[in-house]
């Protein structure tokens, strides 16, 4: 069978024998481990000049990792600029936060070209190329320009917004044209897929093909599909249950109050942290009987901290956490614990299992794996309650969660109260329904279905 070539902005820092990471890294690694192959991406190094010369990073088992370095200018324009300060906010419907510069878009294209130039000599004729995420929308275009006729697929981990939102990016037409150089474009939900197809049909003279989900545009046939990313359900539960870790988590619980509401996110404005803090404040104000009993723990390691919008949200949250605690804390009770760091999975999963409720309330999210990990980590006899934003991709599958609108503070406060007082029978019923879907849409399914569709004639 042909080799798999995976391309993403960064390659995961994998070592032999190490436990698997979450999300993209876990899914990609599994696929590569099975069949062997190559993983290509940015090294994370910033050098004086970018050079289209891939270096062999390392080989782990049958997997070979190749990377390229970026120059400061490339990093600023491609990564910090267009990818994370223009595309990311717009893909998450945050038009007001998107900042566009043509020079940064040119930098984005230049780095996509650099990736194409470096990768081309490493690719064999029958390799299957699987590209990940919004950083590399133009990569297939660059590979085609260099004569590659391989199957090339893109999986977008983020949402794809309604055409009217996407078109606020001045270079939207260039991006869409470049995306049509892929053979298959995969999305997390049907909403995202439909938005992309809608753009092609209404704004790019696209014509729907007889093949389901395929559209002819710019002289090519691009297929589309929905592949909701999942988690290794049994692995998560096993990590949550490991006695030594559980002891650690139980000790942690002893330091908390009777009831724990947990949130775990990268510190990102799309995750709705500000609105969530406000909802918790509303909850404390409206449900005084919970005072002294409940702790809300927000774990949020900083990300992309060299971008101004991220620095701003961090400052705001620090201020809000202090203010809310100042307003409600007692000598023996601190209602909100705000932790700006990441934790190993063998600490995080047992902590999920200890929490009576998990608040996952992004303003928009491609999928949100924390929601799925939380459900998978629960004890089936005594499960906690997931409170989930209707704007997370995960809500399309996990509709047995308590679904909330993250802009509705009062609604979220009500959901917190409902979660903490829910009878065990109802919790079990909701948990079983979600587990059933998560077993069907597992991480293995995500990987196998995307690969099979990319391979298919
Ligand atoms: P992210 O935006 O990073 O991913 P998410 O799906 O929640 O968001 O994945 C986060 C992963 O990182 C989870 O596995 C979680 O356990 C881990 N993590 C988060 N905070 C952590 C912490 N403090 N310590 C340790 N680990 C932590 C993008 C998209 C999502 C999409 C994924 C996968 O934005 O919508 O679900 O890719 O496709």
């Amino acid at each position: 069978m042909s080799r798999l070539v995976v391309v993403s902005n960064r390659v995961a820092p994998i070592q032999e024998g190490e436990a698997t990471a979450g999300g993209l890294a876990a899914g990609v690694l599994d696929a590569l481990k099975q069949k062997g192959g190559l993983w290509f991406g940015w090294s994370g190094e910033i050098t004086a000049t970018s050079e289209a010369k891939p270096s062999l990073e390392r080989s782990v088992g049958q997997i070979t990792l190749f990377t390229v370095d970026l120059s400061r200018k490339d990093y600023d324009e491609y990564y910090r600029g267009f990818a994370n300060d223009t595309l990311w906010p717009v893909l998450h419907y945050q038009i007001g936060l998107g900042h566009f510069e043509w020079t940064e878009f040119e930098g984005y294209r230049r780095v996509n070209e650099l990736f194409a130039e470096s990768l081309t000599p490493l690719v064999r004729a029958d390799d299957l190329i699987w590209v990940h995420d919004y950083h590399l929308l133009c990569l297939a275009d660059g590979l085609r320009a260099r004569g590659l006729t391989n199957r090339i697929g893109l999986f977008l981990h983020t949402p794809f917004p309604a055409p009217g939102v996407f078109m606020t990016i001045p270079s939207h037409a260039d991006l869409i044209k470049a995306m049509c150089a892929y053979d298959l474009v995969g999305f997390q939900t049907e909403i995202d897929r439909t938005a992309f197809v809608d753009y092609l049909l209404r704004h790019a003279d696209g014509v729907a093909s007889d093949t389901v989900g395929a559209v002819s545009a710019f002289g090519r046939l691009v297929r589309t599909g929905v592949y909701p990313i999942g988690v290794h359900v049994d692995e998560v539960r096993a990590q949550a249950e490991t006695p030594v870790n559980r002891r650690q988590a139980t000790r942690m619980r002893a330091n908390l109050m009777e009831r724990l509401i947990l949130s775990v996110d990268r510190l990102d404005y799309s995750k709705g942290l500000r609105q969530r803090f406000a909802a918790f404040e509303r909850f404390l104000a409206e449900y005084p009987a919970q005072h002294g009993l409940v702790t809300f723990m927000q774990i949020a390691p900083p990300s992309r901290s060299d971008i101004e919008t991220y620095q701003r949200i961090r400052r705001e949250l620090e201020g809000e956490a202090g203010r809310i605690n100042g307003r409600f804390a007692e000598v023996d009770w601190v209602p909100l614990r705000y932790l700006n760091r990441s934790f190993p999975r063998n600490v995080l999963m047992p902590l999920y299992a200890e929490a009576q409720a998990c608040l996952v309330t992004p303003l928009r999210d491609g999928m949100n794996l924390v929601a799925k990990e939380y459900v998978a980590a629960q004890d089936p006899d005594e499960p906690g309650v997931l409170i989930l934003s209707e704007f997370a991709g995960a809500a399309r599958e996990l509709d047995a969660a308590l679904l909330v609108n993250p802009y509705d503070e009062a609604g979220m406060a009500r959901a917190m109260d409902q979660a903490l007082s829910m009878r065990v029978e109802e919790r079990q019923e909701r948990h079983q329904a979600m587990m059933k879907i998560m077993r069907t849409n597992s991480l293995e399914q995500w990987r196998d279905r995307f690969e099979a569709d990319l391979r298919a004639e």
Side-chain angles (χ1 to χ4, degrees):
M1 192 175 277
S2 58
R3 221 172 42 146
L4 185 62
V5 173
V6 171
V7 192
S8 57
N9 173 58
R10 291 289 301 272
V11 297
I14 44 165
Q15 303 293 342
E16 203 137 25
E18 237 182 40
T20 51
L24 188 156
V28 166
L29 274 177
D30 276 2
L32 286 169
K33 266 184 207 152
Q34 273 195 347
K35 300 182 187 85
L38 191 155
W39 192 349
F40 181 89
W42 170 40
S43 62
E45 295 295 321
I46 298 178
T47 48
T49 50
S50 300
E51 244 186 280
K53 208 164 74 63
S55 359
L56 172 65
E57 188 83 9
R58 61 190 171 278
S59 291
V60 181
Q62 295 190 77
I63 313 172
T64 319
L65 283 87
F66 280 93
T67 57
V68 277
D69 300 339
L70 293 183
S71 69
R72 167 62 57 188
K73 182 175 156 69
D74 281 345
Y75 172 80
D76 282 345
E77 293 177 355
Y78 149 77
Y79 181 78
R80 207 164 67 91
F82 190 73
N84 283 318
D85 211 16
T86 307
L87 266 178
W88 177 271
V90 175
L91 292 171
H92 290 83
Y93 288 74
Q94 300 294 316
I95 303 174
L97 297 180
H99 168 253
F100 179 83
E101 292 290 343
W102 281 103
T103 47
E104 291 182 349
F105 176 60
E106 279 153 25
Y108 177 88
R109 284 222 73 138
R110 192 173 61 242
V111 171
N112 273 247
E113 284 291 309
L114 175 85
F115 268 47
E117 183 69 17
S118 312
L119 182 62
T120 299
L122 303 173
V123 174
R124 298 179 194 152
D126 65 342
D127 282 347
L128 205 64
I129 306 176
W130 185 1
V131 180
H132 290 264
D133 234 357
Y134 63 100
H135 311 89
L136 299 170
L137 301 183
C138 305
L139 180 61
D141 197 32
L143 294 171
R144 301 276 180 233
R146 287 165 179 78
L148 261 65
T149 54
N150 301 56
R151 283 298 168 89
I152 314 177
L154 170 74
F155 182 76
L156 190 64
H157 291 257
T158 66
F160 190 88
V165 172
F166 193 72
M167 288 163 82
T168 61
I169 302 173
S171 58
H172 63 92
D174 303 282
L175 288 167
I176 292 285
K177 183 166 182 226
M179 285 174 81
C180 290
Y182 285 100
D183 295 300
L184 173 66
V185 183
F187 299 91
Q188 302 269 26
T189 71
E190 181 60 23
I191 297 172
D192 305 304
R193 193 195 72 80
T194 310
F196 177 70
V197 168
D198 225 38
Y199 183 113
L200 290 182
L201 298 180
R202 288 171 201 265
H203 305 286
D205 295 329
V207 177
S209 135
D210 292 341
T211 314
V212 178
V215 178
S216 302
F218 305 104
R220 289 188 51 89
L221 184 74
V222 55
R223 286 181 292 139
T224 62
V226 176
Y227 310 90
I229 194 166
V231 297
H232 284 308
V233 177
D234 295 324
E235 196 179 296
V236 169
R237 179 68 190 138
Q239 281 175 334
E241 275 191 309
T242 312
V244 59
N245 301 328
R246 204 175 169 82
R247 255 209 314 279
Q248 192 178 1
T250 310
R251 212 177 47 237
M252 216 173 331
R253 282 268 310 133
N255 286 318
L256 298 166
M257 291 293 148
E258 275 174 43
R259 294 165 190 166
L260 173 64
I261 304 178
L262 181 67
S263 285
V264 177
D265 312 77
R266 266 186 317 100
L267 212 173
D268 193 302
Y269 49 82
S270 68
K271 302 289 183 186
L273 276 77
R274 208 160 41 73
Q275 291 78 355
R276 191 182 303 158
F277 278 23
F280 182 62
E281 182 174 13
R282 173 81 74 113
F283 169 75
L284 293 176
E286 291 183 4
Y287 300 91
Q290 298 282 358
H291 290 196
L293 296 176
V294 69
T295 305
F296 168 41
M297 183 188 282
Q298 172 70 62
I299 297 179
S303 68
R304 305 173 192 166
S305 3
D306 52 356
I307 299 173
E308 163 48 31
T309 31
Y310 286 80
Q311 293 159 7
R312 201 165 54 228
I313 174 92
R314 186 172 179 182
R315 281 195 303 272
E316 276 174 18
L317 289 170
E318 278 163 5
E320 281 303 279
R323 194 184 57 73
I324 294 168
N325 278 334
R327 179 174 169 200
F328 291 99
E330 301 286 347
V331 280
D332 56 353
W333 174 56
V334 180
L336 197 162
R337 294 207 180 185
Y338 180 41
L339 288 76
N340 269 159
R341 51 167 290 208
S342 80
F343 289 90
R345 287 174 76 77
N346 63 6
V347 173
L348 211 52
M349 303 303 136
L351 192 58
Y352 283 146
E354 294 293 333
Q356 277 74 23
C358 187
L359 265 179
V360 182
T361 56
L363 306 179
R364 278 277 164 183
D365 217 329
M367 175 54 63
N368 196 297
L369 290 176
V370 170
K372 292 190 168 181
E373 288 165 354
Y374 176 73
V375 173
Q378 297 309 299
D379 173 354
D381 294 329
E382 198 45 68
V385 179
L386 175 65
I387 302 173
L388 180 61
S389 161
E390 59 185 291
F391 302 124
R396 306 281 67 79
E397 297 158 86
L398 306 183
D399 55 1
L402 284 183
L403 294 185
V404 292
N405 182 328
Y407 297 94
D408 177 6
E409 285 172 19
M412 281 197 281
R414 243 189 344 268
M416 287 181 228
D417 181 59
Q418 193 185 342
L420 294 179
S421 53
M422 193 180 285
R423 288 161 50 89
V424 69
E425 293 79 14
E426 182 176 351
R427 285 188 275 128
Q428 286 172 347
E429 211 172 287
R430 287 174 183 268
H431 180 252
Q432 279 162 16
M434 293 192 278
M435 284 298 282
K436 193 165 167 219
I437 293 169
M438 293 207 325
R439 283 196 188 282
T440 315
N441 292 348
S442 65
L443 193 58
E444 294 85 342
Q445 277 290 326
W446 169 75
R447 174 197 76 208
D448 291 348
R449 284 193 43 238
F450 187 90
E451 252 196 86
D453 283 359
L454 182 56
R455 231 176 260 283
E457 291 304 320

